[in-house]
Amino acid sequence: QKRLVESGGGSVQAGGSLRLSCAASGFTYNRYSMAWFRQAPGKEREGVAGVDSGGSTSYADSVKGRFTISRDNAESTLYLQMNSLKPEDTAMYYCAAEYGSVSMSRYRWDYWDYWGQGTQVTVSS
């Protein structure tokens, strides 16, 4: 059974940092592309950052230079380091997985098959 479990969310002030983690199990992690998506109340889910099965990364323009995605294939874990957080980063953050080489920047959230339950990030001004 494929499982994704996010952690690391919380409440921070603008300019602060958080590190999200996503622990994966039940599948051959290094064969899957991984990504972070987020969804704010009343808004559509949007891609934040992705790393494909070959290690290539992609970022939404709104987070470039502030967020860094990484994956540890030995530990089957995905990370998102978020620095210089802004109030507009406030959202539920979800980890997603898809088999093969899939770029977050090319494929919308509804293409991705496997999802975690989400972790809330709240940034206050």
Side-chain angles (χ1 to χ4, degrees):
Q1 179 181 356
K2 297 177 181 63
R3 191 170 183 223
L4 300 172
V5 180
E6 301 97 333
S7 61
S11 296
V12 296
Q13 290 192 327
S17 297
L18 284 173
R19 189 192 195 204
L20 305 184
S21 299
C22 172
S25 60
F27 59 98
T28 306
Y29 182 76
N30 61 7
R31 294 183 181 178
Y32 282 70
S33 296
M34 303 296 296
W36 290 98
F37 290 80
R38 67 186 180 188
Q39 188 167 18
K43 294 189 177 181
E44 187 176 13
R45 192 169 296 191
E46 63 175 0
V48 175
V51 54
D52 68 17
S53 55
S56 297
T57 59
S58 58
Y59 295 92
D61 288 344
S62 59
V63 307
K64 282 180 181 176
R66 300 189 297 122
F67 290 11
T68 303
I69 191 171
S70 60
R71 63 187 299 164
D72 184 336
N73 288 341
E75 297 294 329
S76 298
T77 303
L78 180 72
Y79 300 100
L80 185 68
Q81 179 66 43
M82 305 187 295
N83 298 329
S84 302
L85 282 161
K86 303 175 181 180
E88 51 263 45
D89 295 318
T90 295
M92 185 72 78
Y93 282 70
Y94 297 92
C95 171
E98 181 61 45
Y99 182 79
S101 181
V102 179
S103 172
M104 181 279 303
S105 61
R106 293 186 62 189
Y107 293 91
R108 280 164 41 96
W109 66 268
D110 49 2
Y111 181 84
W112 297 71
D113 280 338
Y114 306 105
W115 292 87
Q117 82 289 348
T119 186
Q120 178 67 37
V121 171
T122 302
V123 184
S124 58
S125 57

